[in-house]
Amino acid sequence: MKSIESIRLTSAQERGVALSAAGYNVGMLPADLVYIDLYTDSGTSAMSDRQWAAMMLGDESYAGSRSFYRFEAAVRDYYGYEHVIPAHQGRAAENMLSRCLIRPGHHVPGNMYFTTTRQHQELNGGIFHDIIIDEAHDPDADLPFKGNVDLAKLERLIGKVGAEQIPYVSLAATVNMAGGQPISMANLAEVRELTRRRGIPVMLDAARAVENAWFIKQREPGWNGRSVADILQAMCALTDGATMSAKKDSFANIGGWLAVRDPALAEQARNLVVVYEGLHTYGGMAGRDLEATAQGIEESVQEDSIRTRVQQVAYLAGRIAAAGVPIVRPVGGHAVFLNATAFLPGIPHEQFPAQTLTCALYLDAGIRSTERGAVSAGRDPVTGENRYPPLELVRLTIPRRTYTQSHMDVVAESIIRLYGQREKLRSGVAFAYEPETLRFFQSRFRPLSGEPLFG
Ligand SMILES: *Cc1c(COP(=O)(O)O)cnc(C)c1O
């Protein structure tokens, strides 16, 4: 490590006051009051010396920046798509893609939903359909590729609504909401074959496609001898385009892109990028961020680095699972997911057990995690009812190259302690304020037991 950053341990009393002021939403806490921040691995990874050096080379020209051409070449080389449109982050790419392709009444199948992805699909009038295999919704189903598409579900949907009503299949690799679960190359190839026959494009959410490639190398017969870079290429070759959050695999603090093969679609997207992001050669990113992302893409496929990351996640999972704490299996690439339903069986889903558990974790040791359950799932756009997904999870997301094993030990010990005291947590939380879109970010809650929440 060449540089270090201080973190501050707070007192239990300080945390109680802070959490109450944050409306029992850890996303509303000032980061200075968080000891170990596992809210997300998005933009929070440590940049390398080479990335920092590349930032000094950033060309800040408004049009045709040298840094854009380096960025474009990196995306083409490693992901293989011809047309590259920069965006300030992943959801901006999703916005452009959804606006270009989705019309009201269209049906958009996906291997489970992601919050921002589905939000943009629905804002454009699309109707989302989950086509992931059933086992993905079962936290205890220990399968190597729980991100796989159930082809029968996809075929049934095409039969029901017609291929012309499906603008594209939205495929995530890995599947964040299922616990960071990969999709296999064989399954991806089957989806490609089916959609090719029916004339339906396939769009990849590539945020953690490198981690997916790593799992294919480890788990899928026939791929062990290939490099992660080759596997990533082979995955992308089975798709027509991708949206990317460079804040994930590519170690950038900010950035993203939309890349496609179809020149007409690229032209349409370039017309949107100037409205929402900036000129098509910077798309909301500074030249230095384009440089950091290009360098990060090259580093992202280095196998020692991916191995270290995935093993750190597995280390944390192993420690807490050994103490009997219920987690999603198998362990994903970027995070450990606690099964809040099994952790807090006395709290009904209407009282948001996962949200409650994120609060308890913060109060215990200043650890910030993310709710990935009913609060994140939001309301059904047609009925307005809460959606209660079968997976009611708390995500402990590990930033890349940021924390040591000792930090993981602090997290494990806190979770194990909390699990031992779970009987004390008998009631959950209710909404005090609920925003209309992506409510998990800014909502506020009140503990149903009155304060304090715990202990
Ligand atoms: C983070 C993420 C996005 C959105 O990217 P942002 O850069 O946060 O806008 C989309 N899909 C997945 C799977 C993600 O993890």
Side-chain angles (χ1 to χ4, degrees):
M1 288 182 197
K2 266 190 183 164
S3 184
I4 59 114
E5 191 178 344
S6 299
I7 53 177
R8 188 161 79 85
L9 187 56
T10 47
S11 69
Q13 197 204 349
E14 256 181 300
R15 291 194 290 275
V17 171
L19 188 64
S20 168
Y24 292 86
N25 179 349
V26 293
M28 300 297 292
L29 288 166
D32 272 353
L33 298 177
V34 173
Y35 188 39
I36 297 178
D37 203 345
L38 307 184
Y39 190 60
T40 179
D41 62 336
S42 181
T44 54
S45 297
M47 291 217 297
S48 69
D49 51 356
R50 281 158 202 268
Q51 280 181 293
W52 283 111
M55 288 187 85
M56 286 304 291
L57 301 176
D59 172 5
E60 306 301 342
S61 302
Y62 192 93
S65 149
R66 181 181 63 239
S67 303
F68 168 72
Y69 295 109
R70 181 178 176 202
F71 168 88
E72 179 186 51
V75 176
R76 281 185 182 154
D77 285 354
Y78 288 87
Y79 292 85
Y81 305 108
E82 172 67 14
H83 305 284
V84 181
I85 295 136
H88 78 277
Q89 57 185 84
R91 71 198 68 183
E94 291 168 349
N95 176 36
M96 292 189 283
L97 180 68
S98 303
R99 277 175 179 266
C100 285
L101 294 181
I102 300 174
R103 298 291 165 262
H106 271 170
H107 299 268
V108 189
N111 53 345
M112 206 174 272
Y113 82 101
F114 184 72
T115 52
T116 59
T117 317
R118 183 174 68 188
Q119 186 76 63
H120 283 293
Q121 291 164 355
E122 289 178 349
L123 284 171
N124 286 284
I127 302 155
F128 172 82
H129 297 269
D130 188 2
I131 53 162
I132 204 164
I133 55 171
D134 286 340
E135 291 89 339
H137 294 281
D138 174 0
D140 300 315
D142 202 339
L143 300 178
F145 293 105
K146 264 170 104 175
N148 278 357
V149 167
D150 182 333
L151 280 120
K153 286 184 189 170
L154 177 55
E155 214 144 12
R156 258 198 314 277
L157 180 69
I158 299 172
K160 192 166 140 214
V161 304
E164 63 295 338
Q165 289 304 310
I166 301 177
Y168 59 94
V169 174
S170 177
L171 276 193
T174 59
V175 182
N176 194 342
M177 303 300 277
Q181 307 295 340
I183 177 171
S184 72
M185 192 74 81
N187 186 252
L188 198 51
E190 284 177 326
V191 172
R192 171 75 296 173
E193 178 49 27
L194 172 61
T195 52
R196 189 190 54 73
R197 279 190 275 118
R198 308 307 298 265
I200 304 169
V202 175
M203 295 296 175
L204 181 69
D205 180 337
R208 296 185 190 78
V210 172
E211 289 172 12
N212 198 110
W214 169 263
F215 285 123
I216 288 176
K217 185 177 167 104
Q218 303 306 312
R219 297 176 184 171
E220 190 163 355
W223 291 94
N224 197 260
R226 302 283 291 277
S227 70
V228 166
D230 276 356
I231 299 171
L232 179 65
Q233 284 274 0
M235 288 168 60
C236 294
L238 294 169
T239 67
D240 299 286
T243 53
M244 178 65 178
S245 171
K247 305 171 72 173
K248 315 289 171 57
D249 275 350
S250 310
F251 309 106
N253 294 134
I254 194 80
W257 45 263
L258 167 66
V260 297
R261 300 188 200 287
D262 175 4
L265 175 57
E267 205 46 50
Q268 212 186 333
R270 278 190 206 102
N271 288 334
L272 286 179
V273 79
V274 290
V275 180
Y276 293 101
E277 298 289 303
L279 196 69
H280 63 282
T281 56
Y282 76 86
M285 290 169 81
R288 52 182 169 272
D289 294 322
L290 291 164
E291 290 281 348
T293 301
Q295 176 63 32
I297 289 172
E298 290 173 26
E299 292 173 16
S300 71
V301 297
Q302 289 169 5
E303 302 192 9
D304 288 344
S305 148
I306 314 170
R307 181 183 301 108
T308 304
R309 163 164 185 66
V310 172
Q311 286 182 349
Q312 189 177 40
V313 175
Y315 172 79
L316 174 61
R319 276 214 58 184
I320 60 179
V325 176
I327 62 170
V328 173
R329 292 172 188 283
V331 179
H334 69 300
V336 178
F337 288 73
L338 304 176
N339 177 357
T341 311
F343 200 117
L344 299 174
I347 301 184
H349 68 194
E350 296 84 359
Q351 297 182 15
F352 306 115
Q355 183 71 27
T356 308
L357 190 50
T358 62
C359 294
L361 254 175
Y362 175 70
L363 291 175
D364 184 67
I367 295 159
R368 178 150 68 174
S369 55
T370 322
E371 193 269 0
R372 282 296 180 235
V375 175
S376 294
R379 288 178 183 274
D380 184 291
V382 179
T383 66
E385 294 296 316
N386 275 316
R387 296 190 256 217
Y388 292 106
L391 294 178
E392 175 75 13
L393 308 177
V394 168
R395 189 182 72 188
L396 304 155
T397 337
I398 319 295
R400 297 161 192 78
R401 316 191 286 204
T402 303
Y403 289 116
T404 64
Q405 202 112 320
S406 314
H407 294 103
M408 296 302 111
D409 286 332
V410 172
V411 175
E413 282 153 25
S414 170
I415 292 167
I416 294 166
R417 182 166 53 241
L418 215 50
Y419 190 61
Q421 304 171 0
R422 64 192 182 281
E423 297 295 311
K424 285 204 222 163
L425 258 185
R426 290 169 198 284
S427 65
V429 296
F431 273 105
Y433 162 66
E434 181 185 348
E436 228 171 87
T437 49
L438 299 175
R439 63 182 183 179
F440 53 95
F441 281 127
Q442 291 163 323
S443 52
R444 316 281 203 285
F445 299 85
R446 59 186 172 79
L448 287 163
S449 60
E451 301 189 33
L453 177 74
F454 184 69

